[in-house]
Amino acid sequence: MKTIKVWSIIGLTALLNTGCEKILEEKPQSQIVPAYFNSPAGVLGGIAGVYNDIRGQWGTEGFTVEMQAGTDEFLQGASSGGVPPYTYNGLNGSNFGSAWGVAFQDINTLNGVLKYGQTTDLPEATRKQYLAQAKFLRAFWYFYLVQTWGDVPLSTEFITVPSQAASRQPVAQVYELIIKDLTEAAADLPNQPTSPFLGKAATKPVAQLLLAKAYLTRGWLNNTAADFTQSATICADIIANKAAYGLDLWQDYGDAFVPANDYGKETMFVSDHMLDPKYGYYQVGAAAGGGAAQNLTPWFTNWNYPNNSGINSYKSAAGAYVNSGTSLMIRDSQYGRPYTRMRPNSYKWPSGPNAGKNYFLDQAFTNRNVDSRFSNSFYTVYISNTAVTNTATAANNKRGISYTTVVGADTAVWLPDFEVEGAPQFVGTRPFKGLVVPPSLWDNGIFPALKKFMDPSRGANFNDPSTRPCVLYRFADVYLTGAEAYLKAGDATKAAALLNTVRQRAAYRKTNTAAQNAAAATAMTITPAEVTVDFILDERTRELFGEWQRWHDLVRTRSLVRRVKAWNPEAAPNIQDFHMLRPIPQTQIDRVVEGPKFPQNPGY
């Protein structure tokens, strides 16, 4: 949702610019909040504030780590800081729970909107839309909470009096509210974004997708065929009505990630980000710090190409990459800021059932000559952006020649997805002016960087956070969610059909002829017999890598422990069954001093 448009309508800009201290001094919250919600501007302001808080999580560093680390997809980058979510070692309530507090704060705000919005002086059609937005957002946060922590406090009342007592309600009750809210929201939300909720805010199909996910997840918990069938039916309905919803897949997978298409037909729901300093989140030209609603997504999976691309880097006797010489690259806006927090899981298992294989290339991104998603998702070629002169006698220069790299023409670093004899300075027996870094030399400091979210628009201020939105849901996810639901409902034929729509799209390349694209689509087509839960999880990696879903995907399908043990060498020694739920933040436990103690999840 483009909340800036809402803020300008209701005049919250002045409120945000003054900060909260003066407001609290003059008018205590217990006096101002109910009266504020009695006005149309207050109801809309409450909704806008919740959208703003979503922006404070998706795209920020801590939340991104919590949603993706410690899975089969990611290992630690060289600058990860060794935080516990990567390995589960030492994971506890003091180092986890980025969104717990803000989620419950927002739920209470939405309860206020739903209470006072019923009687606020608004046209009936407008009131229905506002209340539907509030129901969607309350369900959105509760769905995140119940997937992450299980039993959680459940409240539908607007709380204005502080309390030091709290309790957790059963998962079943939480899902009842989620499904009720989303069902009602889907009935009243518009088919497409409508003022004042412009951009890609909640609409009918977005509420339907979240409802399908809720049914699917509850179905897994209870092994309930009716929930799987309901989820599949909802996804089929979204697809059948895609024209009315203004939704579709781009013909080329890569077009889904072109900045100009961020609000296009495949995008369903986003968290907006912007550089305008008047909202207090950014200072243009200043280095970003990782929090304060900053979208740093382009950087997290970015290796340190300015400092780890020495022109005469070589392969050690032990077979490791050793950086040496003047760096072939300097930092720029195209390749982004090198945070090096996490990297694709390319660990090659030396023994066991996956001996000789790595998850990244051998399990997930297979058939790369046909499937375009690998090449559209990762940087494997870095073009020179600074002239570097190398002499034949320079230390560790094994090429035996002198030369200068040509900016914009020479390849500075090539990370092929196959082994190359003579790497990193040769291709076979031919000297290579840049570096060749094949999979056997990838480590936590050099690896293919995720490029889907790169933001080249920042120009000279390439250390600024991205202004691109974080896309939480894409239309492709409707097909993947529906396929999983159909499989669990016992219909592998329909599951395969939905998967084939996504896979055949992935076969398309603009550089192919029509005949080549047709042949590629055939090569990507699967049969119902090939559809398994693990196949769908691999397909979700191929389609949704890095899109804040992986930990919940593995938990939902009861696959987290099994797949982490199978593929993630850093987390495999520590992960246990109790890690299927996260630790309750210790601050929550400590603040409950009245009535029964607030219980921690088992194992923590």
Side-chain angles (χ1 to χ4, degrees):
M1 171 188 176
K2 296 209 170 183
T3 49
I4 181 173
K5 296 185 179 181
V6 175
W7 290 340
S8 64
I9 292 169
I10 64 176
L12 281 180
T13 302
L15 184 151
L16 292 171
N17 283 338
T18 59
C20 64
E21 291 184 5
K22 185 176 180 181
I23 295 171
L24 291 175
E25 287 173 2
E26 295 179 353
K27 297 181 179 179
Q29 185 178 7
S30 62
Q31 296 176 18
I32 190 173
V33 172
Y36 187 64
F37 283 143
N38 275 328
S39 69
V43 171
L44 189 55
I47 297 168
V50 173
Y51 273 109
N52 180 60
D53 284 344
I54 292 173
R55 180 169 63 190
Q57 298 299 320
W58 275 262
T60 60
E61 183 172 346
F63 186 79
T64 297
V65 169
E66 292 184 1
M67 296 291 276
Q68 299 185 155
T71 65
D72 48 4
E73 288 185 350
F74 287 100
L75 299 178
Q76 297 180 81
S79 301
S80 70
V83 293
Y86 286 100
T87 65
Y88 298 91
N89 184 29
L91 184 67
N92 58 54
S94 296
N95 52 39
F96 190 92
S98 169
W100 173 278
V102 72
F104 284 109
Q105 170 187 296
D106 284 349
I107 287 167
N108 192 52
T109 297
L110 295 163
N111 289 342
V113 169
L114 290 167
K115 176 179 179 180
Y116 292 99
Q118 301 283 351
T119 56
T120 301
D121 184 18
L122 285 167
E124 187 57 29
T126 304
R127 183 196 323 281
K128 287 177 66 175
Q129 185 184 175
Y130 287 8
L131 297 181
Q133 288 283 340
K135 289 174 183 177
F136 169 83
L137 291 168
R138 183 168 68 178
F140 173 88
W141 271 127
Y142 264 126
F143 189 46
Y144 162 76
L145 290 166
V146 76
Q147 289 180 96
T148 307
W149 285 284
D151 298 347
V152 292
L154 184 65
S155 174
T156 58
E157 297 297 323
F158 181 50
I159 300 169
T160 59
V161 179
S163 172
Q164 292 180 307
S167 61
R168 300 170 67 180
Q169 277 66 56
V171 164
Q173 292 181 24
V174 181
Y175 272 103
E176 286 176 6
L177 178 63
I178 291 168
I179 289 171
K180 179 178 182 293
D181 274 353
L182 291 173
T183 301
E184 294 175 1
D188 290 337
L189 285 168
N191 287 350
Q192 298 189 32
T194 303
S195 181
F197 304 102
L198 299 174
K200 286 289 182 173
T203 56
K204 179 182 180 71
V206 176
Q208 287 179 305
L209 175 57
L210 200 63
L211 180 60
K213 286 176 172 286
Y215 273 120
L216 178 62
T217 308
R218 190 176 74 170
W220 271 99
L221 287 171
N222 303 321
N223 195 25
T224 309
D227 280 348
F228 295 132
T229 300
Q230 187 72 10
S231 176
T233 300
I234 294 168
C235 290
D237 182 74
I238 299 172
I239 294 167
N241 292 285
K242 63 181 183 179
Y245 298 149
L247 298 172
D248 209 344
L249 298 176
W250 293 103
Q251 184 179 33
D252 187 319
Y253 173 80
D255 284 347
F257 306 101
V258 173
N261 294 336
D262 281 341
Y263 293 93
K265 63 184 179 181
E266 189 162 340
T267 302
M268 294 184 71
F269 186 64
V270 309
S271 167
D272 292 288
H273 290 265
M274 63 201 70
L275 284 176
D276 194 326
K278 70 173 173 283
Y279 295 107
Y281 294 119
Y282 300 109
Q283 181 179 349
V284 178
Q294 296 174 340
N295 181 12
L296 308 187
T297 308
W299 306 340
F300 298 138
T301 56
N302 211 11
W303 64 285
N304 196 353
Y305 63 92
N307 293 327
N308 202 24
S309 60
I311 194 168
N312 292 321
S313 299
Y314 61 93
K315 182 178 179 179
S316 73
Y321 175 86
V322 179
N323 186 53
S324 177
T326 303
S327 290
L328 284 158
M329 298 288 293
I330 59 174
R331 187 183 299 190
D332 67 11
S333 60
Q334 178 181 356
Y335 297 114
R337 190 174 178 183
Y339 257 38
T340 327
R341 296 298 194 263
M342 55 180 67
R343 61 183 173 116
N345 180 7
S346 61
Y347 175 78
K348 188 173 183 178
W349 286 84
S351 60
N354 293 322
K357 297 174 65 178
N358 74 67
Y359 180 74
F360 186 45
L361 298 179
D362 300 318
Q363 184 70 19
F365 290 96
T366 55
N367 206 13
R368 295 181 295 280
N369 289 334
V370 177
D371 191 332
S372 70
R373 288 174 292 191
F374 178 82
S375 60
N376 275 312
S377 296
F378 299 95
Y379 277 131
T380 56
V381 174
Y382 290 73
I383 302 301
S384 173
N385 62 7
T386 184
V388 177
T389 298
N390 200 14
T391 63
T393 58
N396 297 315
N397 182 3
K398 304 178 187 301
R399 303 173 187 86
I401 57 173
S402 300
Y403 59 92
T404 299
T405 57
V406 180
V407 174
D410 283 336
T411 296
V413 182
W414 175 36
L415 296 110
D417 58 347
F418 53 89
E419 293 305 314
V420 175
E421 185 179 356
Q425 295 186 23
F426 291 82
V427 176
T429 58
R430 293 168 50 204
F432 192 77
K433 292 173 71 175
L435 295 174
V436 184
V437 188
S440 61
L441 295 181
W442 297 349
D443 57 25
N444 67 356
I446 187 166
F447 46 82
L450 189 62
K451 68 179 181 180
K452 294 194 295 187
F453 312 122
M454 286 296 178
D455 186 357
S457 69
R458 289 164 294 150
N461 294 321
F462 47 75
N463 287 333
D464 284 342
S466 174
T467 59
R468 295 182 66 183
C470 292
V471 179
L472 277 63
Y473 299 129
R474 288 192 289 115
F475 188 51
D477 198 7
V478 178
Y479 291 88
L480 297 175
T481 300
E484 186 181 326
Y486 274 123
L487 177 65
K488 293 297 291 180
D491 195 335
T493 299
K494 288 184 177 178
L498 292 181
L499 291 171
N500 281 331
T501 299
V502 174
R503 289 176 58 80
Q504 289 165 1
R505 186 273 290 267
Y508 177 85
R509 296 177 192 261
K510 293 184 177 76
T511 55
N512 281 352
T513 65
Q516 288 172 328
N517 278 325
T522 299
M524 287 289 285
T525 301
I526 60 169
T527 66
E530 295 176 82
V531 182
T532 65
V533 171
D534 279 323
F535 185 93
I536 291 172
L537 286 171
D538 294 341
E539 194 67 27
R540 290 187 70 84
T541 287
R542 290 184 278 270
E543 184 69 29
L544 304 171
F545 192 93
E547 297 182 38
W548 299 280
Q549 299 206 41
R550 193 57 176 181
W551 195 84
H552 282 158
D553 285 347
L554 296 183
V555 168
R556 178 185 66 254
T557 56
R558 327 313 289 167
S559 304
L560 177 69
V561 176
R562 174 175 59 84
R563 287 178 69 104
V564 166
K565 284 184 176 293
W567 293 110
N568 187 324
E570 298 173 346
N574 303 312
I575 194 168
Q576 299 182 52
D577 288 343
F578 71 81
H579 287 121
M580 294 276 286
L581 293 177
R582 298 299 207 179
I584 300 290
Q586 191 61 41
T587 51
Q588 170 68 34
I589 295 172
D590 293 343
R591 288 171 180 170
V592 176
V593 296
E594 295 178 359
K597 291 183 178 180
F598 198 90
Q600 179 59 274
N601 276 327
Y604 295 104

